Amino acid sequence: YSVNTTCRIMITKLIHLKNNDIKTPYMKNTFTLLIIALMAIGCDKSNKSDPKLSNDNQIIIGHIDSLKSDILGETRKIWVYLPQNYQEGKKYPVLYVLDGNWHFHSVTGLIKQLSASGTLVLPEMIVIAIPNTNRSRDLIPTKVDVDYRTGNKLEYESGGGSDFLDFIEHELIPYVDRTYPTTSFRTYVGHSFGGLSVIHALTTRSYLFDNYLAIDPSFWWDNMAYLETVDSLLSVNDYTNKGLFVGIANTMIGGQNYATVEEDTLGTSAHIRSILKFSKSLEKKDNGLNFACKYYPQEDHRSVPLITEYDGLRFLFDWYQFKAMFELGRPGLYSTDEALEVVKSHYENVSQKMGYEIKPNEWLINRLGNQYMRGKKLDLAAALFDLNIANFPKSNNVYDSRGDCYLAAGDSIKALEFYKKALETGDNNYTQPKIDRLSKALEK
């Protein structure tokens, strides 16, 4: 109970006791004073508002920003997520997600988890989530006034999809690039009508984004008329170096199944039929697009976004993870030069995909070097630690690890030199004890 509730219960009981069991004037006066005191405590508590949580007591995953859009004639809010290990001077790729208030937490959570040290299957990214003001107007590319399925007048606006992409291209992206440390590598994510916006951007402005993720897109729109336009554009344009993943929910009803639903003609199956038609047609096209789709039989239109976001990001960034890490860790498979070439080749490929230099991950190379050091492959361990020093000269950890390698090779003087270099570069809580132990040993 709250204090107020507790006081009220106590007061009620005391009043009952006073009326029934108290016999002397002294006891009556004492209980009257006690009741007044409890009432005062309760009143005092009720006049105080609940204490505000300080920032120190909150888990904050982002902040709300805004910009004035002349194109849309309104101020638009954006929800912004910066990487957990955000570093000054470092730039990050950007993921733009529609229906921002719905998908902000799932997308940021996935990226945080999958880009963390120890996982490293995605790059760290800035997330720009775009909440809606007039969802159907902004996300649907073509204007329709009548619902073809019912013949009734539509109760929502449509057809502002190109204006919305103008806003993204000419106002939002420039604002984000001016305000946050971004690279030019971008991913665009949308669900349902948002999936239409994703495909509209791919087919009419493929230069805006590198990756496109369409979650159960509403290709049924306008009796699939827009689908025909999209199909034509995907047939004639070149989409080399672009990626698209489409997630398909199970929106079938009755006795329909995945194998036969394409033969159905009812409006109730138009949603999934339109996506299957799009996907099967796209699979036959030779347009350079890196494309995949996946059907989720256990998910409906509302539940499919999370799992599609996961699978889609894994597919679109399939080339990012250093999969050879596990092979390199097996002793005897690679010489020092061969191992370094495997590392170099992978990160050159990642850099080519991202459009800018991506250095081998410090944590990953350090872990691999430690693995070789434990296996007595000291030459290879030393080469990897030296690679980290060359790439991250301001990290104290790379010098500490190189000191460990010298110590494992029996060179205490060089080990001490690198341990001291580690502390000169930056404080940590593990190098000084090594210096103390080694200095004592050298004195003896």
Side-chain angles (χ1 to χ4, degrees):
Y1 291 124
S2 67
V3 172
N4 286 344
T5 304
T6 304
C7 286
R8 282 194 294 270
I9 292 172
M10 291 177 66
I11 289 168
T12 301
K13 288 183 176 181
L14 285 169
I15 290 172
H16 177 79
L17 178 64
K18 180 178 184 295
N19 292 334
N20 293 280
D21 300 319
I22 299 175
K23 305 300 183 183
T24 69
Y26 173 77
M27 291 181 66
K28 290 181 180 179
N29 290 337
T30 300
F31 271 82
T32 299
L33 290 173
L34 179 57
I35 291 171
I36 293 172
L38 287 171
M39 291 176 68
I41 293 172
C43 290
D44 180 64
K45 180 67 178 179
S46 66
N47 288 332
K48 294 179 180 178
S49 60
D50 291 334
K52 298 288 186 182
L53 287 175
S54 70
N55 285 338
D56 293 339
N57 295 329
Q58 298 182 60
I59 298 173
I60 299 172
I61 64 172
H63 68 274
I64 298 175
D65 199 350
S66 64
L67 67 156
K68 178 70 171 66
S69 170
D70 293 329
I71 293 172
L72 299 178
E74 60 188 6
T75 297
R76 296 299 297 250
K77 291 182 179 180
I78 54 174
W79 293 14
V80 183
Y81 164 85
L82 298 177
Q84 185 179 28
N85 298 316
Y86 173 81
Q87 299 174 17
E88 292 290 342
K90 183 177 179 180
K91 294 188 175 183
Y92 301 89
V94 187
L95 183 146
Y96 291 81
V97 58
L98 300 171
D99 296 317
N101 50 321
W102 285 98
H103 303 302
F104 184 70
H105 291 81
S106 59
V107 169
T108 57
L110 285 171
I111 291 175
K112 178 179 179 294
Q113 183 72 22
L114 297 179
S115 65
S117 295
T119 310
L120 296 173
V121 299
L122 294 180
E124 291 183 305
M125 285 184 264
I126 294 171
V127 175
I128 304 295
I130 311 171
N132 301 309
T133 57
N134 188 328
R135 183 175 187 268
S136 58
R137 177 202 67 189
D138 290 342
L139 303 185
I140 300 175
T142 58
K143 183 173 177 56
V144 173
D145 295 320
V146 177
D147 187 338
Y148 78 91
R149 296 169 299 182
T150 64
N152 297 328
K153 187 178 187 305
L154 286 173
E155 296 181 357
Y156 50 85
E157 293 182 62
S158 60
S162 294
D163 289 340
F164 185 69
L165 289 184
D166 283 342
F167 158 69
I168 289 178
E169 178 179 0
H170 300 297
E171 295 179 326
L172 179 58
I173 289 177
Y175 175 80
V176 170
D177 288 346
R178 288 193 309 269
T179 309
Y180 302 98
T182 65
T183 70
S184 60
F185 193 94
R186 307 185 193 101
T187 299
Y188 194 34
V189 180
H191 169 232
S192 193
F193 282 156
L196 287 186
S197 182
V198 168
I199 301 301
H200 190 46
L202 171 67
T203 52
T204 63
R205 312 182 196 212
S206 61
Y207 53 86
L208 276 184
F209 301 95
D210 300 273
N211 288 330
Y212 297 81
L213 203 170
I215 306 168
D216 216 32
S218 300
F219 283 127
W220 57 265
W221 176 251
D222 193 16
N223 201 14
M224 304 187 198
Y226 179 67
L227 177 58
E228 302 302 323
T229 301
V230 165
D231 190 68
S232 299
L233 292 171
L234 288 168
S235 298
V236 298
N237 294 334
D238 180 29
Y239 297 95
T240 301
N241 297 325
K242 303 297 177 181
L244 170 65
F245 185 88
V246 175
I248 309 170
N250 183 357
T251 53
M252 296 177 287
I253 62 174
Q256 296 172 345
N257 62 67
Y258 189 73
T260 62
V261 70
E262 291 176 90
E263 306 303 321
D264 189 31
T265 58
L266 297 176
T268 53
S269 65
H271 184 83
I272 190 169
R273 282 191 290 113
S274 63
I275 304 175
L276 293 175
K277 182 178 180 180
F278 169 83
S279 299
K280 290 193 174 185
S281 176
L282 187 51
E283 285 173 343
K284 299 174 184 178
K285 299 184 190 305
D286 183 20
N287 57 11
L289 182 65
N290 181 29
F291 170 68
C293 64
K294 187 172 181 179
Y295 170 61
Y296 298 94
Q298 303 302 317
E299 310 300 334
D300 61 28
H301 187 64
R302 291 288 184 179
S303 68
V304 79
L306 177 61
I307 192 169
T308 305
E309 289 160 2
Y310 177 87
D311 287 341
L313 290 174
R314 291 299 305 271
F315 168 76
L316 294 169
F317 288 94
D318 180 64
W319 39 266
Y320 185 83
Q321 184 180 18
F322 185 41
K323 298 183 178 72
M325 168 78 179
F326 304 103
E327 280 193 4
L328 284 178
R330 295 170 60 187
L333 286 182
Y334 294 92
S335 68
T336 299
D337 289 341
E338 288 171 338
L340 290 176
E341 181 57 35
V342 169
V343 173
K344 178 182 176 183
S345 177
H346 171 74
Y347 282 95
E348 283 180 348
N349 179 58
V350 172
S351 298
Q352 187 272 324
K353 296 279 190 184
M354 300 290 281
Y356 53 92
E357 183 184 10
I358 301 292
K359 295 179 179 179
N361 181 269
E362 178 189 348
W363 175 89
L364 186 148
I365 298 301
N366 196 73
R367 175 186 171 189
L368 193 57
N370 283 323
Q371 218 170 319
Y372 279 118
M373 191 167 61
R374 288 191 296 270
K376 307 302 180 184
K377 299 287 185 180
L378 297 182
D379 288 346
L380 184 46
L384 290 169
F385 292 139
D386 286 341
L387 178 63
N388 255 356
I389 290 174
N391 286 330
F392 305 99
K394 295 182 179 180
S395 167
N396 63 76
N397 181 65
V398 299
Y399 300 104
D400 180 90
S401 295
R402 190 63 178 96
D404 289 343
C405 192
Y406 274 118
L407 191 61
D411 192 338
S412 298
I413 301 299
K414 292 293 288 184
L416 187 60
E417 176 187 332
F418 274 81
Y419 288 147
K420 290 180 178 179
K421 177 67 174 176
L423 287 188
E424 290 172 6
T425 306
D427 290 333
N428 62 59
N429 57 6
Y430 46 82
T431 299
Q432 188 60 53
K434 297 177 184 180
I435 293 174
D436 295 341
R437 288 194 299 270
L438 194 53
S439 297
K440 288 181 181 179
L442 289 171
E443 287 175 4
K444 294 179 181 179

